[in-house]
């Protein structure tokens, strides 16, 4: 296009939206909500051997206000659900949620009085990871899927409280 | 623990608490005493303090619901069970205090061992057995509003709907963005977007 032909290979034109999505998708800050065995695989995905940092998601924030990807790893008891809900609410928009493992997705083998039968009954989940526990590769695949979802974001979907569009 | 030692402990307790000792069994070297709940604190204090016994460490305090149990040792539905260890002789001992269903109360052992505090709260939470004299008998595992005692055998495994009765988070996410996310996954790299 015009600018590129005039500025040479150092120039690239794109849409603001695409650029924002590209930046977002490559700097996801996960909020790790690990309550059971799945969290061990989550840790394995973070550290050297699988190294989620290769995809820009190494900054695990144990503060929901600084993160945009909630990874629910483990079973959630009915007593823990209010905590998870609070953390979900504290995360700034836009945010994504991964339900990692059978327990977070469906309750898994714990079909009992105390365990929530899938967190998607109560908070919106974007990507489910099957497995008990899922291997680190599966979690990485889920993060790739989240990136894919981020690619679909349209800035015009979001509006300021006064109704103004960001673009 | 061998049989002669078990017999001598039983004899020792029986001479002191003739009426309170309702039974004693040795199974695979494990001695179990069944004690009337009215005297269980006296028996526990004796087991703890007696020079020749010194069962001074309460490893665990639990309960059992014997409803529908095929081989019940006593008519009461519940029993509070104390597992003791002697740090002097390294012997172990189990004490059962039967508790009837219509009056599920047992004296609290917090005065003997403060370790009993949280374990008694757990028994209360799970079985609904109240502990007389406990300083702070609240639920410890289930949330405060929970109404039942889930380890009772007549409570269904899947509960009575408590796990579904949680209020759903209002999804105030922009609807257009939400539905865009829920479209089927695009598998072609052209559709994948930046990344
Ligand atoms: S899905 Fe399996 S590994 Fe993961 S939390 Fe549940 S039981 Fe543990």
């Amino acid at each position: 296009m015009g600018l590129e032909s005039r500025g040479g290979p150092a120039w690239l034109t794109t849409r603001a939206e695409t650029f924002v999505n590209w930046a977002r998708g490559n700097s996801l800050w996960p909020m790790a909500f690990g309550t059971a065995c799945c969290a061990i695989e989550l840790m394995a995905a973070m550290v050297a051997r699988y190294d989620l940092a290769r995809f820009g998601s190494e900054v695990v924030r144990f503060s929901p206000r600084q993160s945009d990807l909630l990874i629910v790893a483990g079973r959630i008891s009915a007593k823990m659900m209010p905590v998870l809900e609070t953390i979900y609410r504290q995360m700034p928009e836009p945010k994504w949620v991964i339900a990692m493992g059978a327990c977070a997705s469906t309750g898994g083998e714990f079909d009992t009085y105390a365990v929530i039968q899938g967190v998607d009954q109560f908070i919106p989940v974007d990507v489910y990871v099957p497995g008990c526990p899922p291997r680190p590769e599966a979690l990485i695949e889920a993060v790739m899927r989240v990136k894919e979802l981020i690619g679909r974001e349209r800035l015009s979907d979001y509006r300021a409280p006064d109704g103004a569009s960001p673009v | 623990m061998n049989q002669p030692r078990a017999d001598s402990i039983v004899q020792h307790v029986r001479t002191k608490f003739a009426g309170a000792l309702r039974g004693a069994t040795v199974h695979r070297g494990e001695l179990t005493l069944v004690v009337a709940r009215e005297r269980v604190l006296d028996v526990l204090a004796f087991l703890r303090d007696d020079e020749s016994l010194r069962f001074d460490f309460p490893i665990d305090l639990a309960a059992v619901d014997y409803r529908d149990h095929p081989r019940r040792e006593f008519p009461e539905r519940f029993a509070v069970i104390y597992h003791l260890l002697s740090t002097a002789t390294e012997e172990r001992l189990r004490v059962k205090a039967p508790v009837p269903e219509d009056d599920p109360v047992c004296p609290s052992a917090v005065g003997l061992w403060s370790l009993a505090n949280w374990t008694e709260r757990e028994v209360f939470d799970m079985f609904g057995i109240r502990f007389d004299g406990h300083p702070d008998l609240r639920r410890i595992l289930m949330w405060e509003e929970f109404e039942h005692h889930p380890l009772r055998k007549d409570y269904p495994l899947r509960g009575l709907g408590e796990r579904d009765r949680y209020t759903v988070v209002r999804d105030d996410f922009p609807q257009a963005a939400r539905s865009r996310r829920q479209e089927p996954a695009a598998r072609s790299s052209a559709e994948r977007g930046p990344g």
Side-chain angles (χ1 to χ4, degrees):
Chain A
M1 284 207 317
L3 249 185
E4 281 152 5
S5 60
R6 293 218 325 251
W11 288 88
L12 189 66
T13 50
T14 180
R15 287 179 301 154
E17 201 165 65
T18 313
F19 178 70
V20 167
N21 288 347
W22 171 81
R24 235 178 218 151
N26 288 297
S27 61
L28 278 171
W29 287 18
M31 160 82 211
F33 198 82
T35 51
C37 9
C38 269
I40 303 295
E41 296 299 301
L42 172 60
M43 290 175 227
M46 294 292 169
V47 294
R49 190 178 181 91
Y50 295 98
D51 200 11
L52 203 51
R54 292 177 292 156
F55 308 100
S57 304
E58 77 274 28
V59 197
V60 181
R61 291 285 121 161
F62 289 96
S63 160
R65 301 206 191 270
Q66 299 176 355
S67 37
D68 46 14
L69 172 63
L70 175 62
I71 303 178
V72 185
R75 47 195 163 273
I76 303 297
S77 67
K79 197 175 174 180
M80 186 55 102
M81 197 57 223
V83 179
L84 179 61
E85 184 199 327
T86 306
I87 283 174
Y88 176 78
R89 283 181 184 283
Q90 284 174 340
M91 289 170 59
E93 303 277 10
K95 54 196 168 190
W96 290 265
V97 180
I98 292 178
M100 179 180 179
C103 287
S105 306
T106 66
E109 59 179 314
F110 301 95
D111 189 6
T112 74
Y113 58 91
V115 177
I116 295 288
Q117 301 297 295
V119 294
D120 58 353
Q121 292 179 71
F122 305 115
I123 60 173
V125 173
D126 295 304
V127 179
Y128 302 83
V129 192
C132 178
R135 287 193 56 94
E137 295 95 325
L139 182 65
I140 292 172
E141 168 74 11
V143 174
M144 297 296 109
R145 292 288 178 89
V146 170
K147 271 194 190 181
E148 191 181 308
L149 294 180
I150 292 174
R152 298 181 191 178
E153 290 287 303
R154 296 289 169 263
L155 292 179
S156 55
D157 289 343
Y158 299 90
R159 302 214 168 251
D162 61 4
S165 165
V167 282
Chain B
M1 176 184 306
N2 56 25
Q3 193 68 44
R5 171 68 175 154
D7 290 341
S8 89
I9 292 177
V10 173
Q11 200 48 48
H12 198 43
V13 175
R14 183 165 283 136
T15 46
K16 194 91 197 328
F17 301 96
L21 190 64
R22 287 175 47 179
T25 53
V26 181
H27 178 69
R28 294 179 186 270
E30 295 180 4
L31 173 61
T32 303
L33 306 178
V34 181
V35 176
R37 63 174 165 158
E38 292 76 18
R39 300 295 306 278
V40 70
L41 287 192
D42 299 335
V43 173
L44 290 173
F46 175 74
L47 291 170
R48 181 186 70 174
D49 298 331
D50 185 82
E51 280 302 327
S52 68
L53 301 174
R54 289 245 173 257
F55 286 102
D56 48 3
F57 182 50
I59 308 167
D60 197 9
L61 190 160
V64 170
D65 181 355
Y66 286 99
R67 185 181 190 264
D68 307 329
H69 193 283
R71 282 174 278 114
R72 278 161 82 149
E73 302 162 62
F74 35 78
E76 286 89 345
R77 175 171 166 188
F78 302 105
V80 176
I81 299 179
Y82 307 82
H83 294 264
L84 306 182
L85 170 72
S86 164
T87 53
T89 65
E90 298 187 358
E91 289 168 323
R92 287 159 199 270
L93 175 70
R94 192 180 294 119
V95 175
K96 291 186 185 178
V99 172
E101 183 176 3
D102 51 9
D103 178 31
V105 183
C106 185
S108 168
V110 175
L112 294 175
W113 290 287
S114 39
L115 274 171
N117 188 321
W118 284 12
T119 44
E120 285 181 353
R121 280 178 64 186
E122 185 182 350
V123 168
F124 164 69
D125 195 357
M126 293 289 127
F127 294 92
I129 296 170
R130 291 192 306 282
F131 287 89
D132 230 1
H134 191 289
D136 181 29
L137 196 62
R138 284 178 296 131
R139 287 185 182 277
I140 190 168
L141 296 176
M142 307 308 289
W143 55 102
E144 294 277 325
E145 298 78 28
F146 195 79
E147 285 169 2
H148 304 276
H149 299 288
L151 283 194
R152 287 191 174 200
K153 290 270 194 307
D154 48 2
Y155 182 80
L157 175 64
R158 295 191 171 94
L160 298 169
E162 295 89 353
R163 67 185 184 188
D164 305 319
R165 228 174 274 142
Y166 186 80
T167 39
V168 180
V169 177
R170 191 166 55 89
D171 187 5
D172 44 13
F173 198 72
Q175 204 46 52
R178 167 74 56 226
S179 52
R180 220 184 288 292
R181 286 190 191 181
Q182 283 163 352
E183 285 161 15
R187 301 309 301 158
S188 72
S189 57
E191 289 277 311
R192 264 200 161 167

